[in-house]
Amino acid sequence: MRLYWVFFLGILLTCKPLFSQAPRKNTSSDIFHAIQKLNFLGTALYIAAHPDDENTRLISFLSNEVKAKTAYLSLTRGDGGQNLIGSELRELLGVLRTQELLAARRIDGGEQFFSRANDFGYSKHPNETLKIWNKEAVLSDVIWIIRNYKPDVIINRFDHRSPGSTHGHHTSSAMLSYEAFDLANNPNIYPEQLTITDVWQPKRLFFNTSWWFYGSEDKFQKADKSKMIDLDVGVYYPLRGVSNNEIASLASSQHLCQGFGRLTTRGSENEYIELLKGDLPKDKSNIFDGINTTWSRVEGGEEVGRILLEIERNFDFTQPSKHLSKLIEAYKALMKINDEHWKAIKKKELEDIIQSVCGLYLEATTTESHTYPGSHILVNLEALNRSAANINLKTVSITNDNPLVQNIILKENKKELIKIDLEVTANTSYTSPYWLNSKGTLGMYKVTDQNLIGKPETPKAFEVTIEMEFNGFPIKIKKPVVYKYSKPEKGEIYQPFEILPEATAGFKDKVVIFATSEPKEIPVTIKALKNNVKGELQICFGKGWKVDQEIKSFEIEKNGDQQTLHFLVTPPSYEDENYISPIIKINGKEISKELIEIDYDHIPKQSVLLNSKTKVVRININKTGENIGYIVGAGDEIPESLEQIGYKVVKIDPISIQAGSLNKFDAIVVGIRAYNVVEELKFKQRYLLDYVKEGGNLIIQYNTAGRNGLDMENLAPYPLSISRDRVTDETSDVKILANSHAVVNYPNKITKNDFNGWVQERGLYFPDQWSKEFTPILSMSDEGETALNGSLLVAPYGKGNYIYTGLSFFRELPAGVTGAYRLFANLLSLKQESQK
């Protein structure tokens, strides 16, 4: 497990443990807070586009101060972003960022939803976004979530009235929310949903505005605020010992892969929400003003409310179990109401409170992190009543098995252990993120089960159902089966219990480049997920490619061990892109999955099963030079990509850079966002420029330009200004401006065809101003926009060459884009050409 970030949440996590698999341990203050929320029947839904778009201050305020049932709908899982803590990108990054959002919600008290929209990367306009996403499908998801969650108020993070002023995903999220507000109540819209849900009409729609959307604080002060509500979200919670802003800071700090770790804040802070639809509350400090949020909103609910309000008024913090009888009385009254929506919500909340007031500890664990279909595994159920309450454990069951009759009286503070034999049938599905089970499109994940749409993660593999009697009254409680273990240096650790194949196979490299017609040995690693696995591994490959031996046998003795088989692959003589994939054959079963584990301390460990394959690319490429120095920035796979075409790449620690230390390199490449994230480079940049002056070849990849620009006075040897200009359409037309320049002629002739097959984007954060010493090499633009010439700039300096590029080589090389390899080889070879 990677030890990247350790944080302390104090009293917050006595109620919400670090990992969701761990049992909740509620203090009396937590129980009282839960009872207060039990007595509030109002719901709020916050809507935006990506993980980290959400306003944790407002979500926490609504959940903890207002006591509303509150959720965040992120239309995407952030798959198109970047990762500052590891190598996960695209769908794996989406899994990581999903879990970071769930970690944030465990802290701020909200719930989490997603649509099927895939974050395909930056989009300049909602027209493009909604075309790639499939507007109707995403709109149906938003309506589906509104119909199920039934929010009284919806709050948009972004403004639907300003298309083109921000990320197209941002504006699209607001536009879809604005449209769905009324359509969710129309039975003629997506009527197929109404076989399992009902129409719903929210009462109010808001836009979470601020001075930022107005351009300046001065303009915001002068703006018409007649339809705005001003909320002070900096409130302090004495029972929890923290303020709302502290909770919000800790929640947003879960977005570590986006670099959102930050100090906590305290004190008064205002949030503004502008009414877009519905009636304006008379009390502008209460977004639920005029909406019935008491138990009287449901028929028959008054009796439930009467009992629970009495408990709230007379709550005993020193002996909460004294309220058990009244809680059961409220539970009985709740079961009589006909409103199935609120009954289901409050039933679960009430069951949790009943367990908490009794100090009831129920935990279902295994001693193995996973098993496979067709196996048996032992589940240990620990039951402990830490009060004087009369509790009887009647039956225990897993799935739909016949319940095991127990009839155990849980005596005060006497632990009971029950062992259950869990049979995992042969047709049990593997555990993996449900949205990755089928191949989707560029803009949409494919999910065919309507009941899964919106859910943040795949439902747990197995649950234990425990029938209890509290003071003679029966209540069924469900607990997920989890894996629990300990490490000497960390203590007790919880992880999901998963169903995985008996073995999986994966490639070391996701792309293998053949720069010549010589064969390469490609390793395939088989990982055993049970003891004593043996079978055959078959390699499948495309026309024109050859493998020395298609089928090889393997045998692995222990669960978790690996065996690597090597296959000699010969490419065709002509340029070609293809795939090779493995099939594991065990006792008549065929397995074609690769297991990828995502393991960080701030989220539960994730196991992702993907179709195992590697892209093989035969390209004709020429290059000069051999030794490349690489300064790592925010993280990318370019060093590994360059090694595949024969370069020797050495990663340079910026601290080690000094006068003359770089002369051994034929070229030096600076990784993406290096000047944003590596502080030491500010002090070492002069040595890099000296390296160029003495004949070196320096290639600097893109850096982000914030509101105040890039804080580097000597980024280049000549004036150079980085902007936020970008070309997001990876198919956009590219013109070669400097046809005679060596960078597009030596050692590879670069043509427009070399820009075919690019992925996600052309490039980003192009310079928009540069001195006459620079030569712009390429011109490109998104549809309807002015051409940008700053994607690739070259300037001679002294005896060498300085190159700045915003082209997205960090995406193209790992994806095996042949033209990107040829162009990058030319950049690396430029020094040698200038000296010929």
Side-chain angles (χ1 to χ4, degrees):
M1 182 180 290
R2 280 168 277 192
L3 295 173
Y4 180 77
W5 193 63
V6 179
F7 51 88
F8 175 68
L9 299 183
I11 193 170
L12 285 176
L13 294 188
T14 61
C15 176
K16 299 183 181 297
L18 183 61
F19 295 160
S20 60
Q21 287 73 28
R24 296 169 63 97
K25 302 177 180 69
N26 292 335
T27 66
S28 291
S29 293
D30 297 324
I31 298 170
F32 181 70
H33 178 69
I35 291 172
Q36 289 179 310
K37 289 181 70 70
L38 191 61
N39 282 325
F40 190 93
L41 279 69
T43 307
L45 179 63
Y46 198 89
I47 298 180
H50 310 108
D52 72 37
D53 282 344
E54 87 276 33
N55 186 334
T56 55
R57 293 183 299 273
L58 196 49
I59 290 173
S60 178
F61 178 82
L62 292 170
S63 177
N64 296 299
E65 173 66 11
V66 180
K67 306 297 189 295
K69 183 176 171 64
T70 308
Y72 174 44
L73 166 56
S74 175
L75 294 193
T76 76
R77 297 176 186 267
D79 329 73
Q82 294 174 35
N83 185 355
L84 297 183
I85 64 173
S87 60
E88 294 85 5
L89 290 175
R90 290 303 309 152
E91 66 270 11
L92 297 179
L93 179 60
V95 174
L96 170 57
R97 297 188 73 186
T98 292
Q99 291 301 318
E100 289 186 336
L101 269 180
L102 288 172
R105 298 294 81 78
R106 287 193 289 273
I107 292 171
D108 61 32
E111 300 174 70
Q112 185 63 51
F113 298 114
F114 294 94
S115 81
R116 289 171 292 173
N118 188 344
D119 179 1
F120 56 84
Y122 191 87
S123 178
K124 291 182 178 178
H125 200 280
N127 289 348
E128 177 196 44
T129 299
L130 295 174
K131 180 179 178 182
I132 296 176
W133 270 358
N134 182 343
K135 177 191 173 182
E136 288 303 312
V138 184
L139 178 62
S140 75
D141 291 356
V142 176
I143 289 174
W144 166 255
I145 291 163
I146 291 174
R147 285 173 171 175
N148 282 283
Y149 197 61
K150 302 189 184 324
D152 297 302
V153 296
I154 295 175
I155 303 173
N156 291 344
R157 181 68 181 99
F158 300 103
D159 188 359
H160 70 286
R161 299 161 295 193
S162 54
S165 63
T166 182
H167 196 324
H169 297 182
H170 292 168
T171 311
S172 295
S173 70
M175 292 169 63
L176 291 170
S177 173
Y178 190 86
E179 190 171 350
F181 181 85
D182 295 314
L183 295 181
N185 196 40
N186 187 337
N188 297 317
I189 300 298
Y190 308 114
E192 67 280 3
Q193 296 180 0
L194 301 180
T195 61
I196 44 181
T197 191
D198 303 309
V199 295
W200 179 253
Q201 180 58 62
K203 305 297 189 301
R204 293 169 184 145
L205 175 65
F206 295 97
F207 160 45
N208 184 193
T209 189
S210 70
W211 70 262
W212 190 87
F213 290 97
Y214 284 78
S216 71
E217 294 189 34
D218 182 60
K219 290 181 180 179
F220 183 63
Q221 291 297 325
K222 297 176 182 177
D224 178 10
K225 297 185 178 61
S226 60
K227 290 189 175 182
M228 288 188 195
I229 292 178
D230 179 3
L231 302 171
D232 184 353
V233 298
V235 294
Y236 176 68
Y237 304 126
L239 288 176
R240 308 188 73 180
V242 291
S243 67
N244 188 74
N245 285 344
E246 289 174 281
I247 295 174
S249 297
L250 289 167
S252 64
S253 286
Q254 303 314 297
H255 298 296
L256 293 183
C257 71
Q258 292 299 107
F260 269 43
R262 60 190 178 97
L263 294 172
T264 57
T265 60
R266 285 156 289 277
S268 179
E269 189 168 353
N270 294 86
E271 285 290 342
Y272 294 87
I273 54 176
E274 176 191 355
L275 183 72
L276 300 177
K277 289 188 177 184
D279 62 309
L280 188 68
K282 293 180 181 178
D283 179 359
K284 285 195 173 185
S285 65
N286 179 12
I287 67 173
F288 286 94
D289 181 49
I291 299 172
N292 187 357
T293 58
T294 71
W295 277 99
S296 65
R297 81 177 291 171
V298 298
E299 185 179 354
E302 293 90 342
E303 177 63 13
V304 182
R306 181 190 64 78
I307 300 168
L308 293 175
L309 285 171
E310 180 184 345
I311 295 173
E312 183 179 339
R313 284 193 296 265
N314 301 291
F315 187 73
D316 190 330
F317 285 85
T318 61
Q319 193 177 352
S321 61
K322 68 181 291 184
H323 301 293
L324 177 61
S325 295
K326 284 293 183 180
L327 288 168
I328 291 174
E329 185 181 339
Y331 192 95
K332 292 177 181 178
L334 177 64
M335 292 302 98
K336 295 177 183 178
I337 70 173
N338 295 322
D339 189 317
E340 294 300 324
H341 173 72
W342 282 111
K343 181 193 286 188
I345 293 168
K346 297 304 179 180
K347 176 176 178 289
K348 179 63 172 65
E349 292 179 12
L350 196 46
E351 288 171 352
D352 289 343
I353 292 172
I354 288 172
Q355 294 175 66
S356 295
V357 298
C358 299
L360 180 62
Y361 190 91
L362 292 173
E363 179 183 78
T365 62
T366 69
T367 56
E368 300 291 336
S369 63
H370 61 269
T371 191
Y372 55 92
S375 66
H376 285 255
I377 193 164
L378 182 66
V379 176
N380 298 300
L381 176 66
E382 178 182 342
L384 178 62
N385 171 19
R386 292 175 287 191
S387 72
N390 179 17
I391 304 176
N392 188 9
L393 193 156
K394 300 290 290 183
T395 66
V396 174
S397 63
I398 300 182
T399 63
N400 295 320
D401 296 340
N402 293 326
L404 302 174
V405 178
Q406 299 295 317
N407 285 324
I408 299 173
I409 296 175
L410 297 181
K411 298 179 180 179
E412 184 173 359
N413 217 30
K414 185 178 182 300
K415 182 169 63 177
E416 298 288 346
L417 294 175
I418 301 169
K419 297 185 180 298
I420 310 165
D421 177 40
L422 170 59
E423 179 185 3
V424 182
T425 59
N427 62 352
T428 302
S429 298
Y430 296 139
T431 303
S432 193
Y434 70 86
W435 62 94
L436 299 179
N437 287 339
S438 300
K439 183 176 176 58
T441 64
L442 172 64
M444 296 293 296
Y445 284 115
K446 182 179 179 181
V447 181
T448 56
D449 185 345
Q450 183 67 43
N451 287 304
L452 286 176
I453 293 174
K455 292 185 182 297
E457 57 184 346
T458 303
K460 297 296 182 281
F462 290 99
E463 286 185 324
V464 176
T465 301
I466 310 131
E467 184 180 352
M468 315 286 293
E469 281 187 351
F470 295 85
N471 291 348
F473 183 75
I475 296 177
K476 287 185 177 180
I477 297 170
K478 293 182 181 294
K479 293 291 179 181
V481 177
V482 298
Y483 168 52
K484 182 173 72 172
Y485 68 108
S486 66
K487 283 188 173 183
E489 72 277 17
K490 291 187 178 181
E492 188 175 79
I493 299 173
Y494 287 84
Q495 287 181 191
F497 170 66
E498 299 168 320
I499 308 303
L500 301 174
E502 296 170 63
T504 58
F507 296 92
K508 175 179 177 290
D509 299 307
K510 295 307 174 188
V511 175
V512 181
I513 305 296
F514 291 79
T516 71
S517 58
E518 292 297 312
K520 282 190 176 184
E521 195 175 65
I522 296 181
V524 183
T525 299
I526 303 167
K527 182 174 183 177
L529 299 174
K530 58 171 284 191
N531 291 329
N532 301 315
V533 176
K534 63 180 179 179
E536 294 179 330
L537 181 70
Q538 179 179 350
I539 290 294
C540 302
F541 51 94
K543 182 180 179 181
W545 296 79
K546 297 178 181 178
V547 176
D548 62 336
Q549 186 178 342
E550 292 184 34
I551 300 176
K552 294 187 179 184
S553 299
F554 69 90
E555 184 171 354
I556 306 174
E557 183 178 351
K558 292 183 179 181
N559 180 4
D561 283 355
Q562 298 179 345
Q563 182 177 344
T564 300
L565 304 179
H566 293 84
F567 295 83
L568 191 65
V569 177
T570 303
S573 58
Y574 50 86
E575 289 198 340
D576 187 57
E577 294 184 7
N578 224 304
Y579 290 90
I580 58 174
S581 57
I583 298 177
I584 296 174
K585 298 182 178 182
I586 303 174
N587 298 326
K589 297 180 184 178
E590 292 189 350
I591 303 167
S592 58
K593 297 292 186 181
E594 173 187 14
L595 174 63
I596 302 166
E597 295 178 332
I598 301 175
D599 196 3
Y600 295 95
D601 282 350
H602 65 301
I603 64 167
K605 182 180 179 181
Q606 299 295 297
S607 295
V608 184
L609 292 171
L610 299 177
N611 290 329
S612 184
K613 62 181 180 180
T614 190
K615 183 178 182 181
V616 286
V617 182
R618 170 70 173 96
I619 62 175
N620 292 317
I621 187 170
N622 300 307
K623 63 185 185 66
T624 61
E626 182 177 8
N627 298 310
I628 307 299
Y630 201 91
I631 299 174
V632 176
D636 58 57
E637 299 175 22
I638 287 183
E640 293 78 7
S641 299
L642 296 180
E643 287 172 343
Q644 288 216 40
I645 57 173
Y647 285 106
K648 294 180 180 178
V649 182
V650 176
K651 292 183 180 179
I652 302 171
D653 182 352
I655 296 177
S656 69
I657 297 175
Q658 53 187 316
S661 66
L662 305 175
N663 295 339
K664 60 185 176 182
F665 296 111
D666 297 314
I668 293 175
V669 183
V670 181
I672 59 173
R673 297 177 62 184
Y675 294 96
N676 298 127
V677 300
V678 182
E679 186 73 17
E680 186 70 19
L681 279 178
K682 292 182 180 180
F683 312 105
K684 302 294 185 175
Q685 181 69 359
R686 60 192 178 100
Y687 297 121
L688 289 171
L689 296 181
D690 286 345
Y691 163 77
V692 178
K693 193 173 184 179
E694 294 301 316
N697 189 23
L698 178 64
I699 302 165
I700 295 179
Q701 298 177 86
Y702 92 94
N703 287 266
T704 59
R707 293 176 187 170
N708 299 320
L710 186 62
D711 185 21
M712 279 288 296
E713 294 182 357
N714 60 341
L715 178 67
Y718 312 111
L720 180 72
S721 175
I722 309 301
S723 75
R724 301 182 69 86
D725 290 347
R726 63 202 302 162
V727 175
T728 61
D729 182 0
E730 64 272 26
T731 66
S732 63
D733 184 53
V734 177
K735 296 179 180 179
I736 299 176
L737 299 175
N739 284 292
S740 61
H741 199 285
V743 81
V744 291
N745 288 283
Y746 179 83
N748 304 285
K749 178 65 177 177
I750 302 301
T751 70
K752 294 180 66 171
N753 291 335
D754 287 299
F755 295 93
N756 294 337
W758 284 49
V759 299
Q760 187 158 328
E761 62 198 353
R762 288 294 189 203
L764 61 171
Y765 293 97
F766 297 165
D768 60 351
Q769 297 179 50
W770 52 85
S771 69
K772 60 181 177 57
E773 287 82 4
F774 285 98
T775 299
I777 305 299
L778 305 172
S779 177
M780 59 190 70
S781 66
D782 283 317
E783 184 178 358
E785 295 189 357
T786 302
L788 301 174
N789 298 338
S791 63
L792 178 58
L793 301 172
V794 181
Y797 179 59
K799 301 176 183 178
N801 295 283
Y802 176 97
I803 301 168
Y804 190 96
T805 179
L807 293 171
S808 59
F809 288 111
F810 71 102
R811 299 194 191 279
E812 313 313 321
L813 298 190
V817 177
T818 57
Y821 270 95
R822 270 194 287 268
L823 179 55
F824 209 91
N826 282 14
L827 301 181
L828 295 171
S829 303
L830 187 57
K831 183 183 73 168
Q832 285 74 27
E833 170 62 11
S834 66
Q835 294 179 349
K836 289 183 67 172

